[in-house]
Each structure stands twice: as C-alpha cells, then as structure tokens.
Amino acid sequence: MSEPQAACAAATQATAHPLDPLSAAEIERATGLLGSARRLGPDDRFAMVRLEEPSKAGVLAMSAGGRPPPRRVFIVVLNRLSGTSAEAVVDLSAGAVVSWHPLANAEAPYGQPPVMVEEFFRCEAIVKADAGWRAAMRQRGLSEAEIDLVQVDPFSSGFFDLEYERGRRIVRAVSFYRADPKDNAYAHPIDGVVAVVDLIAGRVTHLTNGPVVPIPKKKRNYDRASLPAPRTDLRPLDLVQPEGPSFSVDGWAVTWQNWTFRIGFTAREGLVLHQLSWKDGGKTRPIVYRASVTEMVVPYADPGPTHFWKSAFDAGEYGLGKLANALELGCDCLGNIRYFDVAMADDDGRPYTMKNAVCLHEEDYGILWKHYEFRNETYEVRRSRRLVISFFATVGNYDYGFYWYLYQDGSIQLEAKLTGIIQTTAVAPGTTYAHGGMVDEGLGGPTHQHFFNVRLHMMVDGEGNSVSEHEFVPRPFGPDNPYGNAFDTTARVFARESEAAREADGRTGRYWKITNPNVRNAVGNPTGYKLVVQPSPLMLAQEGSFVRRRGGFATRHLWVTPYDPAEKYASGDYPNVHAGGDGLPAYILKDRPIENRDIVVWHSFGHTHVCKPEDFPVMPVEYAGFTLKPNGFFDANPALDLPAGGNAASIDNRTGEGGDCCH
Ligand code: CO
C-alpha cells in the first residue's frame, strides 16, 4: 500500500462508526493483508468480503463512552483450481489476520460460497464449448451462428444428492434462443436441455437432453423502440420540497423527526438498518437493533427436467447486495433524494464503488389522523409522511426492490417489490401446460413461490424482550355473555424456541407482539410492538423434498431465537449446493429460552406466483411485506405534535386558486 493510501485507511478507521459499511480503502487493505499473510495467488478469489460486525455489547459499550471495538473484515476465499475455500477474519485495527478456517464443503451437508460474477461468464464459455450441448442445440434446428448467440443462464443448482453434486461447485445452465444480442431471450426458452457445469473442473459433468419442444420465436421485447407508442395524456407530477427534505445525514447516521438509525450494507443482504430508535422527550428509546432480509428463495413447481431443480436462494447463492442497481434520479426515486454509494469487493478482492446503491427520501402518505366534531366545529387533520430507505437488486431474470418505510406514528414497514421477467418454458402446440400459466403462444411460465425472510434483532426499550401470541376466541352464551356479543383475546408468552416456530392464522386473527416485560406504559402494560403480517403462503413442496429441507425457513411464518452472533441467515451460511437442514430449523433445535432475553424475531413472507399474460414481457410490481406497529409502546398517539396547516402548493382545480388552509 502506498503512503497516501495508508493514511487514507487510517483516517477512515479513526472516523468509522463500528457499524459503518466497509470503505474502499478498508476493503483494499483487508484483502491485501489476507493475500500476503496466506500467500494467496492468481487463482484465489474473494467470494465474499463484508464487515465482521462487532458484538452488540461492544457497540453499546462504545455508545456509553467506551473504546471502539476493533474494525474487522470477514472474507471467504475460494481457489478456482482446487475448489477449496476458507473463511478468514482480518483485524484492520491490528493489521493482522486473526482467523483462517478451511470450509468442509467436500463433506455432507456440503455447501459452497456464492456464485461469483466471473463464473457467470465462465459457465457460458464452458457450455458453449461442450459438444453434447451443441449437438442438443443442432437437434433443435439451430445453426452454428445461432448456437453462438444462445443466452446461457448459470442457475444455482439446487441439490438432489447426485454423485456429480456432492461436494462440487456446480451450476445448472439453462439456454434461451436470441435472434440478436438485444433480443429478450426469455421469450424463447430452449426446453429440455440442462447442462450441469462443474466450475472447478471447467466442464459439463451432466447433460439432460429431454424431448424436443419447438422454441417459441415470437419477439417480446421491452426496450423503448419495441414498445407501442407511449400514451400522451400524462402531465408532470413533481415532488417539490422548496426548503429541502426534513431528514439529516451524518456519515451513515440518519435523523428524521423522532427517528434515528444507521444505514448498513452487506454483499449478501444488501441494505441493513441498525439501531432504529425513537426520541421520546429527552430519551432515545431503542426498538430494533438490526434489521435485514437475510434470504429469499424461489422454488419452482414444475416437475419437468428444465425446472424441477430450480430454487434460487438469491441472497445466499448470489448476494442481493452484490447485485444492487445504481439507482437513477427521477426514475427509481422521486423528489429530493439522498443517495448512498457503497464500496464492494470484486471477485479479485479489489474495491469498487456501487453508485447510488441506497436511496433515502420522503413521501406523502395520505392522512395520518383526523376528526371532525360537528357539535363544536373542531376539525383537525394531519397528513402522513414517510421516510423511504430502499435499494433494488437484479438477480438474473427477476428484479427485487426492498423498501423500508418509517412513519410519524412509530410504525416500521418493509415492502418487497417483485418485478422483472418470469422464468419461461416452451409449450408444444396443441398441448396444455399443466404446471403453470400461458403468457403467449407456445410460451408458459412455471408456477413458483417467492419466500423472503427478514431478521429483526429486537431491542424494544432495552435488552430483555419477549414474544407473545394473541388470538380471538368466541365466548359461549352464559352469565358472563348474556347477549352473545363478547369474545376473548388470548395471550401466551413463548418460553422456548420450539414454541415460537409458528404459522399465521387469519381465522383466529392470530398476531404476535414483541414486548419488554421490564418497562411499563401509562396503563401498566409492558411496552411493545406488534408484528402485523400480510396473508402469505408457506412452502408448498412436500415434506421430505430437498427444496423443503434447503429452504426450511419458509415452512413457518415466525421464528424466535435468542441472539447468537453466529446465527445470521435464515438458510444458514452456505445454501449454495447445500444438502439442507441448516438455518432456522437447525438453530431452534437447541430449544433455548427466549423469554425476557436479547432475542431475534425472524419472519417469513412471500407470494405464490401463477403466471398470466400480464406478467410478460416485464411484470408489474407485486408486493409482499409486513409492518411493525407500536402497541403500547407510547402512552398516546405519538403524532399529536404534528403541525397543523395545509399544503401551500395545492390548488383548487376548478379555479386554480390556493386553499385557505385547514381549519
Ligand atoms: Co414470480
């Protein structure tokens, strides 16, 4: 490292908050230190580089005036020739490698570091050089020139305990015809051909060549030139904040009215929110210590050879953060935008900057509270405004937006936006597609599910939190219910992990609360937040199936664990080519106590997607998510202090005049 670089790294360390994402200088220094200490060579790759977050105790001690914890970097190294990999931790403060653990990924239950960007290209080159695959393409009527133009998608392979899967670093490659490089290849799936590519051996180790189905050739492009003439009756809609936004940003720390939090970002999870707190009078009240989406899986429900194995774990097998978009001003986010650039490591461990990866802005959100009292003409109304913290990741054919919303009444919401292009399949003329919906002539979309899991390290008013389940139960007629109108709300506190792996139930209105039994509100109850879930499916794949074992987190809506820094991801550390059983179902086997503890709440939610013509060629956004709502956290409506007064820019459309403001 040159002297200016070293000085820059030192300056970064001196000013970095322990939870700040790694800077480019820190990434360079960490991969450099590891490279020299372990004598890494040109065939070693950096499959994952992230901040090794300090312990919660260390961060809280620093906030209370103690010394900052050491700044550490977690790195997964993969040798592309041997296929061996190892986890390392580099201490930037000490300038030393503090741990190096080879991964046992040759032994059951296996598991591989995530698919790297360079492997996308290597996969395509290996497949196109394979004589068997080329023959399968010729069998489908493609010329040599057309074969060279075929789009090869490296799909994370899944696992079915086959010889060529065990301990191997493989992807399964699927192919799409293109008339030219700009063509939307997903309109032209080449069905029945799946190449298993061993990325270490550098060859196709298994080729499925199923029945020949005609390739749908109709063009379904969505670039501007291919689309119909745009509608002409739209006039500008501007979000104008003449005095600027109401948030303030200091490094990665954000303050917005009573809210304070820190923005984090990792290669696997993408956006992370740290230390979400609410300033209540002179006091800062913690609510969530850390929040992120740690996994999402998309299992496909078509038993045919092209699809049965598809079950991409987009966070653990690729990395939602690594695949984040550079957001465009006025397109992805509207209004007065504060972007955050994020430093990321490439496959060679070199830092690069992801421009505009995270977007922060405010939005109007209709009415927050209102009442008109006709007897005395009291008319009070307050508009709701929300703070939006978001990022978008493109994982192959799909695009996912992750939007966190903070509201003025203390609510916290996560909305996942699902868009992009569906996986497709060729359907022979005259046949009916039994495992999905048709989206065009000869073109079907296999039915599939999308499951997300959010990890919420809770901290409602402090460390000791509990989770309770509540249900509505009808009360029979009797002396205590003479009119039959009364019903009861049950409550039970989960004592251990085994009790807290739960399904939602709309019929009983089942809901869950996270409370602090050590802090009471004005009516004498523990302060708390309610987890408001949306109607959401669970994993429909059969008990005993590999995908159910690998994506076990999606078999329950709720899981609660005591905080263990080693338990980071709903699907476990290395879901790629993993036999399954890791993650939440394994974590809770210890059946630890969870009452009045430092706890993590994990919520699985998602969407079952039956494809339809409207999904093609690019699908309109589908939504999935949840809300955390204050429930006895405050002693009254916390938004009574919102200023009255209307929006001066609003006009009466009939007269063009401004309003006379609110009552
Ligand atoms: Co879908």
Side-chain angles (χ1 to χ4, degrees), residues 42-72:
D43 293 310
D44 289 304
R45 294 291 180 271
F46 293 80
M48 165 81 76
V49 178
R50 64 161 168 80
L51 175 71
E52 176 72 348
E53 286 174 26
S55 71
K56 184 180 175 190
V59 175
L60 298 184
M62 192 202 75
S63 304
R67 285 162 50 88
R71 190 88 172 142
R72 290 182 164 174

PDB file of all heavy atoms in Angstrom, residues 42-72:
ATOM      1  N   PRO A  42      -2.834 -16.029  -7.978  1.00  0.00           N
ATOM      2  CA  PRO A  42      -3.757 -15.547  -9.019  1.00  0.00           C
ATOM      3  C   PRO A  42      -5.003 -16.416  -9.179  1.00  0.00           C
ATOM      4  O   PRO A  42      -5.958 -15.978  -9.809  1.00  0.00           O
ATOM      5  CB  PRO A  42      -2.905 -15.576 -10.291  1.00  0.00           C
ATOM      6  CG  PRO A  42      -1.754 -16.475  -9.984  1.00  0.00           C
ATOM      7  CD  PRO A  42      -1.520 -16.400  -8.518  1.00  0.00           C
ATOM      8  N   ASP A  43      -5.018 -17.617  -8.607  1.00  0.00           N
ATOM      9  CA  ASP A  43      -6.205 -18.461  -8.739  1.00  0.00           C
ATOM     10  C   ASP A  43      -7.109 -18.408  -7.509  1.00  0.00           C
ATOM     11  O   ASP A  43      -8.100 -19.133  -7.424  1.00  0.00           O
ATOM     12  CB  ASP A  43      -5.793 -19.902  -9.043  1.00  0.00           C
ATOM     13  CG  ASP A  43      -5.155 -19.992 -10.415  1.00  0.00           C
ATOM     14  OD1 ASP A  43      -5.773 -19.474 -11.374  1.00  0.00           O
ATOM     15  OD2 ASP A  43      -4.034 -20.515 -10.524  1.00  0.00           O
ATOM     16  N   ASP A  44      -6.741 -17.568  -6.543  1.00  0.00           N
ATOM     17  CA  ASP A  44      -7.614 -17.398  -5.376  1.00  0.00           C
ATOM     18  C   ASP A  44      -8.594 -16.255  -5.629  1.00  0.00           C
ATOM     19  O   ASP A  44      -8.231 -15.226  -6.180  1.00  0.00           O
ATOM     20  CB  ASP A  44      -6.774 -17.108  -4.125  1.00  0.00           C
ATOM     21  CG  ASP A  44      -6.011 -18.343  -3.688  1.00  0.00           C
ATOM     22  OD1 ASP A  44      -6.667 -19.379  -3.462  1.00  0.00           O
ATOM     23  OD2 ASP A  44      -4.765 -18.287  -3.603  1.00  0.00           O
ATOM     24  N   ARG A  45      -9.825 -16.482  -5.221  1.00  0.00           N
ATOM     25  CA  ARG A  45     -10.880 -15.492  -5.427  1.00  0.00           C
ATOM     26  C   ARG A  45     -11.493 -15.093  -4.091  1.00  0.00           C
ATOM     27  O   ARG A  45     -11.483 -15.872  -3.134  1.00  0.00           O
ATOM     28  CB  ARG A  45     -11.983 -16.064  -6.325  1.00  0.00           C
ATOM     29  CG  ARG A  45     -11.551 -16.347  -7.745  1.00  0.00           C
ATOM     30  CD  ARG A  45     -11.284 -15.046  -8.503  1.00  0.00           C
ATOM     31  NE  ARG A  45     -10.876 -15.319  -9.866  1.00  0.00           N
ATOM     32  CZ  ARG A  45      -9.604 -15.505 -10.243  1.00  0.00           C
ATOM     33  NH1 ARG A  45      -8.630 -15.458  -9.359  1.00  0.00           N
ATOM     34  NH2 ARG A  45      -9.323 -15.736 -11.519  1.00  0.00           N
ATOM     35  N   PHE A  46     -12.056 -13.903  -4.072  1.00  0.00           N
ATOM     36  CA  PHE A  46     -12.698 -13.389  -2.861  1.00  0.00           C
ATOM     37  C   PHE A  46     -14.211 -13.467  -3.079  1.00  0.00           C
ATOM     38  O   PHE A  46     -14.823 -12.571  -3.648  1.00  0.00           O
ATOM     39  CB  PHE A  46     -12.238 -11.961  -2.593  1.00  0.00           C
ATOM     40  CG  PHE A  46     -10.774 -11.875  -2.241  1.00  0.00           C
ATOM     41  CD1 PHE A  46      -9.797 -11.917  -3.229  1.00  0.00           C
ATOM     42  CD2 PHE A  46     -10.387 -11.799  -0.911  1.00  0.00           C
ATOM     43  CE1 PHE A  46      -8.448 -11.861  -2.900  1.00  0.00           C
ATOM     44  CE2 PHE A  46      -9.039 -11.744  -0.567  1.00  0.00           C
ATOM     45  CZ  PHE A  46      -8.062 -11.777  -1.570  1.00  0.00           C
ATOM     46  N   ALA A  47     -14.784 -14.585  -2.663  1.00  0.00           N
ATOM     47  CA  ALA A  47     -16.199 -14.840  -2.952  1.00  0.00           C
ATOM     48  C   ALA A  47     -17.106 -13.987  -2.079  1.00  0.00           C
ATOM     49  O   ALA A  47     -18.285 -13.799  -2.401  1.00  0.00           O
ATOM     50  CB  ALA A  47     -16.509 -16.315  -2.745  1.00  0.00           C
ATOM     51  N   MET A  48     -16.576 -13.486  -0.978  1.00  0.00           N
ATOM     52  CA  MET A  48     -17.391 -12.673  -0.056  1.00  0.00           C
ATOM     53  C   MET A  48     -16.455 -11.824   0.786  1.00  0.00           C
ATOM     54  O   MET A  48     -15.504 -12.346   1.355  1.00  0.00           O
ATOM     55  CB  MET A  48     -18.212 -13.620   0.822  1.00  0.00           C
ATOM     56  CG  MET A  48     -18.832 -13.001   2.042  1.00  0.00           C
ATOM     57  SD  MET A  48     -20.348 -12.117   1.685  1.00  0.00           S
ATOM     58  CE  MET A  48     -21.482 -13.487   1.487  1.00  0.00           C
ATOM     59  N   VAL A  49     -16.728 -10.535   0.826  1.00  0.00           N
ATOM     60  CA  VAL A  49     -15.977  -9.624   1.699  1.00  0.00           C
ATOM     61  C   VAL A  49     -17.013  -8.741   2.381  1.00  0.00           C
ATOM     62  O   VAL A  49     -17.798  -8.084   1.709  1.00  0.00           O
ATOM     63  CB  VAL A  49     -14.991  -8.737   0.899  1.00  0.00           C
ATOM     64  CG1 VAL A  49     -14.267  -7.776   1.837  1.00  0.00           C
ATOM     65  CG2 VAL A  49     -13.988  -9.584   0.125  1.00  0.00           C
ATOM     66  N   ARG A  50     -17.036  -8.790   3.711  1.00  0.00           N
ATOM     67  CA  ARG A  50     -18.003  -7.939   4.419  1.00  0.00           C
ATOM     68  C   ARG A  50     -17.447  -7.514   5.762  1.00  0.00           C
ATOM     69  O   ARG A  50     -16.495  -8.114   6.275  1.00  0.00           O
ATOM     70  CB  ARG A  50     -19.333  -8.675   4.614  1.00  0.00           C
ATOM     71  CG  ARG A  50     -19.237  -9.893   5.503  1.00  0.00           C
ATOM     72  CD  ARG A  50     -20.589 -10.325   6.058  1.00  0.00           C
ATOM     73  NE  ARG A  50     -20.507 -11.648   6.665  1.00  0.00           N
ATOM     74  CZ  ARG A  50     -20.028 -11.910   7.885  1.00  0.00           C
ATOM     75  NH1 ARG A  50     -19.562 -10.926   8.642  1.00  0.00           N
ATOM     76  NH2 ARG A  50     -19.995 -13.141   8.346  1.00  0.00           N
ATOM     77  N   LEU A  51     -18.083  -6.499   6.324  1.00  0.00           N
ATOM     78  CA  LEU A  51     -17.748  -6.094   7.682  1.00  0.00           C
ATOM     79  C   LEU A  51     -18.063  -7.247   8.629  1.00  0.00           C
ATOM     80  O   LEU A  51     -19.142  -7.838   8.550  1.00  0.00           O
ATOM     81  CB  LEU A  51     -18.592  -4.868   8.057  1.00  0.00           C
ATOM     82  CG  LEU A  51     -18.463  -4.376   9.501  1.00  0.00           C
ATOM     83  CD1 LEU A  51     -17.101  -3.745   9.735  1.00  0.00           C
ATOM     84  CD2 LEU A  51     -19.574  -3.360   9.810  1.00  0.00           C
ATOM     85  N   GLU A  52     -17.120  -7.595   9.482  1.00  0.00           N
ATOM     86  CA  GLU A  52     -17.433  -8.520  10.571  1.00  0.00           C
ATOM     87  C   GLU A  52     -17.936  -7.630  11.703  1.00  0.00           C
ATOM     88  O   GLU A  52     -17.158  -6.976  12.390  1.00  0.00           O
ATOM     89  CB  GLU A  52     -16.179  -9.311  10.985  1.00  0.00           C
ATOM     90  CG  GLU A  52     -16.372 -10.225  12.173  1.00  0.00           C
ATOM     91  CD  GLU A  52     -17.218 -11.460  11.868  1.00  0.00           C
ATOM     92  OE1 GLU A  52     -17.860 -11.519  10.810  1.00  0.00           O
ATOM     93  OE2 GLU A  52     -17.241 -12.360  12.720  1.00  0.00           O
ATOM     94  N   GLU A  53     -19.248  -7.588  11.828  1.00  0.00           N
ATOM     95  CA  GLU A  53     -19.814  -6.622  12.771  1.00  0.00           C
ATOM     96  C   GLU A  53     -19.375  -6.936  14.192  1.00  0.00           C
ATOM     97  O   GLU A  53     -19.364  -8.093  14.598  1.00  0.00           O
ATOM     98  CB  GLU A  53     -21.346  -6.630  12.667  1.00  0.00           C
ATOM     99  CG  GLU A  53     -21.824  -5.943  11.408  1.00  0.00           C
ATOM    100  CD  GLU A  53     -23.331  -6.052  11.200  1.00  0.00           C
ATOM    101  OE1 GLU A  53     -24.075  -6.199  12.187  1.00  0.00           O
ATOM    102  OE2 GLU A  53     -23.753  -5.999  10.033  1.00  0.00           O
ATOM    103  N   PRO A  54     -19.030  -5.898  14.957  1.00  0.00           N
ATOM    104  CA  PRO A  54     -18.648  -6.126  16.349  1.00  0.00           C
ATOM    105  C   PRO A  54     -19.856  -6.612  17.148  1.00  0.00           C
ATOM    106  O   PRO A  54     -20.998  -6.463  16.718  1.00  0.00           O
ATOM    107  CB  PRO A  54     -18.192  -4.745  16.820  1.00  0.00           C
ATOM    108  CG  PRO A  54     -18.838  -3.774  15.889  1.00  0.00           C
ATOM    109  CD  PRO A  54     -19.022  -4.483  14.583  1.00  0.00           C
ATOM    110  N   SER A  55     -19.585  -7.194  18.299  1.00  0.00           N
ATOM    111  CA  SER A  55     -20.675  -7.686  19.136  1.00  0.00           C
ATOM    112  C   SER A  55     -21.558  -6.511  19.542  1.00  0.00           C
ATOM    113  O   SER A  55     -21.119  -5.372  19.612  1.00  0.00           O
ATOM    114  CB  SER A  55     -20.120  -8.364  20.388  1.00  0.00           C
ATOM    115  OG  SER A  55     -19.579  -7.372  21.254  1.00  0.00           O
ATOM    116  N   LYS A  56     -22.818  -6.835  19.814  1.00  0.00           N
ATOM    117  CA  LYS A  56     -23.752  -5.804  20.263  1.00  0.00           C
ATOM    118  C   LYS A  56     -23.228  -5.159  21.558  1.00  0.00           C
ATOM    119  O   LYS A  56     -23.291  -3.936  21.721  1.00  0.00           O
ATOM    120  CB  LYS A  56     -25.109  -6.457  20.501  1.00  0.00           C
ATOM    121  CG  LYS A  56     -26.214  -5.516  20.881  1.00  0.00           C
ATOM    122  CD  LYS A  56     -27.501  -6.314  21.078  1.00  0.00           C
ATOM    123  CE  LYS A  56     -28.615  -5.451  21.582  1.00  0.00           C
ATOM    124  NZ  LYS A  56     -29.773  -6.270  21.993  1.00  0.00           N
ATOM    125  N   ALA A  57     -22.676  -6.007  22.443  1.00  0.00           N
ATOM    126  CA  ALA A  57     -22.159  -5.478  23.716  1.00  0.00           C
ATOM    127  C   ALA A  57     -21.054  -4.461  23.449  1.00  0.00           C
ATOM    128  O   ALA A  57     -20.987  -3.412  24.099  1.00  0.00           O
ATOM    129  CB  ALA A  57     -21.646  -6.624  24.585  1.00  0.00           C
ATOM    130  N   GLY A  58     -20.195  -4.768  22.472  1.00  0.00           N
ATOM    131  CA  GLY A  58     -19.091  -3.871  22.140  1.00  0.00           C
ATOM    132  C   GLY A  58     -19.582  -2.533  21.606  1.00  0.00           C
ATOM    133  O   GLY A  58     -19.053  -1.472  21.950  1.00  0.00           O
ATOM    134  N   VAL A  59     -20.621  -2.585  20.754  1.00  0.00           N
ATOM    135  CA  VAL A  59     -21.163  -1.354  20.176  1.00  0.00           C
ATOM    136  C   VAL A  59     -21.833  -0.506  21.256  1.00  0.00           C
ATOM    137  O   VAL A  59     -21.632   0.708  21.338  1.00  0.00           O
ATOM    138  CB  VAL A  59     -22.183  -1.691  19.051  1.00  0.00           C
ATOM    139  CG1 VAL A  59     -22.839  -0.422  18.536  1.00  0.00           C
ATOM    140  CG2 VAL A  59     -21.495  -2.432  17.914  1.00  0.00           C
ATOM    141  N   LEU A  60     -22.610  -1.174  22.121  1.00  0.00           N
ATOM    142  CA  LEU A  60     -23.320  -0.427  23.164  1.00  0.00           C
ATOM    143  C   LEU A  60     -22.342   0.165  24.173  1.00  0.00           C
ATOM    144  O   LEU A  60     -22.545   1.272  24.665  1.00  0.00           O
ATOM    145  CB  LEU A  60     -24.347  -1.334  23.854  1.00  0.00           C
ATOM    146  CG  LEU A  60     -25.461  -1.873  22.946  1.00  0.00           C
ATOM    147  CD1 LEU A  60     -26.478  -2.674  23.750  1.00  0.00           C
ATOM    148  CD2 LEU A  60     -26.176  -0.754  22.181  1.00  0.00           C
ATOM    149  N   ALA A  61     -21.254  -0.580  24.453  1.00  0.00           N
ATOM    150  CA  ALA A  61     -20.248  -0.069  25.390  1.00  0.00           C
ATOM    151  C   ALA A  61     -19.602   1.190  24.818  1.00  0.00           C
ATOM    152  O   ALA A  61     -19.358   2.164  25.536  1.00  0.00           O
ATOM    153  CB  ALA A  61     -19.191  -1.137  25.659  1.00  0.00           C
ATOM    154  N   MET A  62     -19.347   1.180  23.490  1.00  0.00           N
ATOM    155  CA  MET A  62     -18.755   2.354  22.870  1.00  0.00           C
ATOM    156  C   MET A  62     -19.709   3.545  22.932  1.00  0.00           C
ATOM    157  O   MET A  62     -19.301   4.665  23.223  1.00  0.00           O
ATOM    158  CB  MET A  62     -18.382   2.069  21.424  1.00  0.00           C
ATOM    159  CG  MET A  62     -17.515   3.160  20.831  1.00  0.00           C
ATOM    160  SD  MET A  62     -17.576   3.220  19.036  1.00  0.00           S
ATOM    161  CE  MET A  62     -19.171   3.968  18.775  1.00  0.00           C
ATOM    162  N   SER A  63     -21.009   3.262  22.677  1.00  0.00           N
ATOM    163  CA  SER A  63     -22.000   4.344  22.729  1.00  0.00           C
ATOM    164  C   SER A  63     -22.058   4.954  24.125  1.00  0.00           C
ATOM    165  O   SER A  63     -22.380   6.127  24.289  1.00  0.00           O
ATOM    166  CB  SER A  63     -23.389   3.816  22.346  1.00  0.00           C
ATOM    167  OG  SER A  63     -23.338   3.204  21.088  1.00  0.00           O
ATOM    168  N   ALA A  64     -21.749   4.139  25.140  1.00  0.00           N
ATOM    169  CA  ALA A  64     -21.777   4.631  26.523  1.00  0.00           C
ATOM    170  C   ALA A  64     -20.455   5.285  26.912  1.00  0.00           C
ATOM    171  O   ALA A  64     -20.207   5.539  28.087  1.00  0.00           O
ATOM    172  CB  ALA A  64     -22.104   3.472  27.463  1.00  0.00           C
ATOM    173  N   GLY A  65     -19.584   5.510  25.916  1.00  0.00           N
ATOM    174  CA  GLY A  65     -18.336   6.223  26.210  1.00  0.00           C
ATOM    175  C   GLY A  65     -17.108   5.338  26.219  1.00  0.00           C
ATOM    176  O   GLY A  65     -15.998   5.817  26.459  1.00  0.00           O
ATOM    177  N   GLY A  66     -17.271   4.053  25.960  1.00  0.00           N
ATOM    178  CA  GLY A  66     -16.133   3.132  25.968  1.00  0.00           C
ATOM    179  C   GLY A  66     -15.315   3.209  24.685  1.00  0.00           C
ATOM    180  O   GLY A  66     -15.591   4.015  23.798  1.00  0.00           O
ATOM    181  N   ARG A  67     -14.290   2.358  24.595  1.00  0.00           N
ATOM    182  CA  ARG A  67     -13.422   2.335  23.412  1.00  0.00           C
ATOM    183  C   ARG A  67     -14.143   1.679  22.243  1.00  0.00           C
ATOM    184  O   ARG A  67     -14.928   0.762  22.441  1.00  0.00           O
ATOM    185  CB  ARG A  67     -12.164   1.507  23.720  1.00  0.00           C
ATOM    186  CG  ARG A  67     -11.153   2.219  24.609  1.00  0.00           C
ATOM    187  CD  ARG A  67     -10.184   1.203  25.211  1.00  0.00           C
ATOM    188  NE  ARG A  67      -9.615   0.320  24.182  1.00  0.00           N
ATOM    189  CZ  ARG A  67      -8.515   0.617  23.486  1.00  0.00           C
ATOM    190  NH1 ARG A  67      -7.885   1.751  23.700  1.00  0.00           N
ATOM    191  NH2 ARG A  67      -8.052  -0.230  22.593  1.00  0.00           N
ATOM    192  N   PRO A  68     -13.853   2.137  21.012  1.00  0.00           N
ATOM    193  CA  PRO A  68     -14.469   1.474  19.867  1.00  0.00           C
ATOM    194  C   PRO A  68     -13.962   0.046  19.725  1.00  0.00           C
ATOM    195  O   PRO A  68     -12.779  -0.210  19.983  1.00  0.00           O
ATOM    196  CB  PRO A  68     -14.038   2.333  18.673  1.00  0.00           C
ATOM    197  CG  PRO A  68     -12.934   3.199  19.150  1.00  0.00           C
ATOM    198  CD  PRO A  68     -13.012   3.278  20.645  1.00  0.00           C
ATOM    199  N   PRO A  69     -14.841  -0.887  19.376  1.00  0.00           N
ATOM    200  CA  PRO A  69     -14.395  -2.264  19.174  1.00  0.00           C
ATOM    201  C   PRO A  69     -13.505  -2.339  17.933  1.00  0.00           C
ATOM    202  O   PRO A  69     -13.536  -1.446  17.094  1.00  0.00           O
ATOM    203  CB  PRO A  69     -15.701  -3.034  18.948  1.00  0.00           C
ATOM    204  CG  PRO A  69     -16.708  -2.014  18.556  1.00  0.00           C
ATOM    205  CD  PRO A  69     -16.269  -0.709  19.105  1.00  0.00           C
ATOM    206  N   PRO A  70     -12.683  -3.401  17.799  1.00  0.00           N
ATOM    207  CA  PRO A  70     -11.800  -3.488  16.631  1.00  0.00           C
ATOM    208  C   PRO A  70     -12.599  -3.559  15.332  1.00  0.00           C
ATOM    209  O   PRO A  70     -13.703  -4.100  15.304  1.00  0.00           O
ATOM    210  CB  PRO A  70     -10.999  -4.777  16.864  1.00  0.00           C
ATOM    211  CG  PRO A  70     -11.682  -5.501  17.962  1.00  0.00           C
ATOM    212  CD  PRO A  70     -12.514  -4.517  18.720  1.00  0.00           C
ATOM    213  N   ARG A  71     -12.055  -2.976  14.284  1.00  0.00           N
ATOM    214  CA  ARG A  71     -12.680  -2.974  12.961  1.00  0.00           C
ATOM    215  C   ARG A  71     -12.209  -4.228  12.239  1.00  0.00           C
ATOM    216  O   ARG A  71     -11.017  -4.390  11.944  1.00  0.00           O
ATOM    217  CB  ARG A  71     -12.213  -1.716  12.254  1.00  0.00           C
ATOM    218  CG  ARG A  71     -12.912  -1.401  10.972  1.00  0.00           C
ATOM    219  CD  ARG A  71     -14.156  -0.586  11.193  1.00  0.00           C
ATOM    220  NE  ARG A  71     -14.682  -0.166   9.880  1.00  0.00           N
ATOM    221  CZ  ARG A  71     -15.958  -0.112   9.584  1.00  0.00           C
ATOM    222  NH1 ARG A  71     -16.868  -0.432  10.493  1.00  0.00           N
ATOM    223  NH2 ARG A  71     -16.354   0.274   8.393  1.00  0.00           N
ATOM    224  N   ARG A  72     -13.143  -5.140  11.943  1.00  0.00           N
ATOM    225  CA  ARG A  72     -12.774  -6.431  11.378  1.00  0.00           C
ATOM    226  C   ARG A  72     -13.508  -6.712  10.074  1.00  0.00           C
ATOM    227  O   ARG A  72     -14.622  -6.232   9.865  1.00  0.00           O
ATOM    228  CB  ARG A  72     -13.044  -7.552  12.379  1.00  0.00           C
ATOM    229  CG  ARG A  72     -12.080  -7.487  13.550  1.00  0.00           C
ATOM    230  CD  ARG A  72     -12.276  -8.601  14.530  1.00  0.00           C
ATOM    231  NE  ARG A  72     -11.105  -8.691  15.399  1.00  0.00           N
ATOM    232  CZ  ARG A  72     -11.000  -9.492  16.436  1.00  0.00           C
ATOM    233  NH1 ARG A  72     -12.001 -10.307  16.746  1.00  0.00           N
ATOM    234  NH2 ARG A  72      -9.905  -9.521  17.159  1.00  0.00           N
TER     235      ARG A  72
END
